[in-house]
Amino acid sequence: MTHQESLERLKEGNARYVNDQLNGKLQDSSRRDSLIGGQEPYAIILGCADSRVVPELAFDTGLGELFTVRVAGNVANTSSIASIEYAIAHLGTKLIVVLGHQNCGAVTAAVAGGDNGYNLNHLLGHIAPAMAASKEGASINEVVKKNAELTTIELINRSSIIKNAVDSGKVKVISAYYNLDSGKVDFL
Ligand SMILES: [Zn+2]
C-alpha cells in the first residue's frame, strides 16, 4: 500500500466514524490468529493520550492496522520517535500522522505556563516551539495545529531513519486535527 492509499483508508474510516457507521471489522479471533506471526500496519499515528481521542475508533480500524503511539500533547520525544522508527524500519509502514485535537489539555497547560513538576515540565517543553511560532493571542486550538505541524518536522529532524525514508519518497509525514465535537479528522 502506498502512503496515498493509506491516507485514503484513514479518510474512509473516519467518515464511517463521523456518521455512526463503524464497521468494526478485523477485531475477532480469526483476525487475532492471522496476526500472531507478525504485523503490517499501514499507518503510524502519533496521538495524544486523551481518552476522547482514540485513533482505532476515529479511523474505524481493527487489529494490526494502526501502529499507535500515544503521549500527552502528541509530542516528538526520544521514546515516541524510537517507537515510530521501529515501525518504519521493521514493519514497512509508509504513512505517519501526527494527530492533535481540539481542547488538548497538554497544550492548554503549556500555554498556561507555571511549574508543573519535573516530568510534566519536560513534556510541556516540547510544546514551547509551537507557542513561540503561534501568533500572539492565538487560541489553544491554533497552538494545537501548530504543534502538530511542527512535530512532523521534529520527527524528520531528529531521526535519520525517518528522514531517510521521507527523502527517498517511501514515507510521508502529515499533521491532522481531531474535532472533539464532530469526530472529524482534518488533515492539515
Ligand atoms: Zn491532548
Side-chain angles (χ1 to χ4, degrees), residues 97-148:
V97 180
V98 179
L99 182 63
H101 69 94
Q102 185 179 3
N103 296 352
C104 181
V107 171
T108 304
V111 170
D115 185 1
N116 294 287
Y118 176 81
N119 295 306
L120 194 48
N121 286 346
H122 178 82
L123 184 131
L124 299 182
H126 288 282
I127 301 173
M131 290 159 51
S134 296
K135 291 187 296 253
E136 206 173 315
S139 70
I140 293 297
N141 294 330
E142 285 171 323
V143 181
V144 164
K145 289 175 186 174
K146 181 60 75 178
N147 181 50

Side-chain angles (χ1 to χ4, degrees), residues 23-36 61-65:
N23 70 22
K25 283 181 183 163
L26 305 178
Q27 300 174 2
D28 59 5
S29 55
S30 68
R31 178 63 171 176
R32 284 201 304 275
D33 289 346
S34 75
L35 289 168
I36 292 170
T61 55
L63 301 171
E65 295 197 277

Side-chain angles (χ1 to χ4, degrees), residues 9-10 13-14 16 22-27 42-43 54-66 68:
R9 275 178 82 155
L10 294 180
N14 182 242
R16 291 194 299 274
L22 292 178
N23 70 22
K25 283 181 183 163
L26 305 178
Q27 300 174 2
Y42 61 80
V54 182
E56 287 80 359
L57 289 172
F59 295 114
D60 190 22
T61 55
L63 301 171
E65 295 197 277
L66 299 184
T68 305

Side-chain angles (χ1 to χ4, degrees), residues 9 19 21 24-25 29 38 42 44 71-72 79 88 96 111 115 122 125 131 155 184:
R9 275 178 82 155
N19 294 310
Q21 292 173 337
K25 283 181 183 163
S29 55
Y42 61 80
I44 299 163
V71 57
S79 298
I88 297 288
I96 304 171
V111 170
D115 185 1
H122 178 82
M131 290 159 51
L155 289 176
K184 184 164 189 310

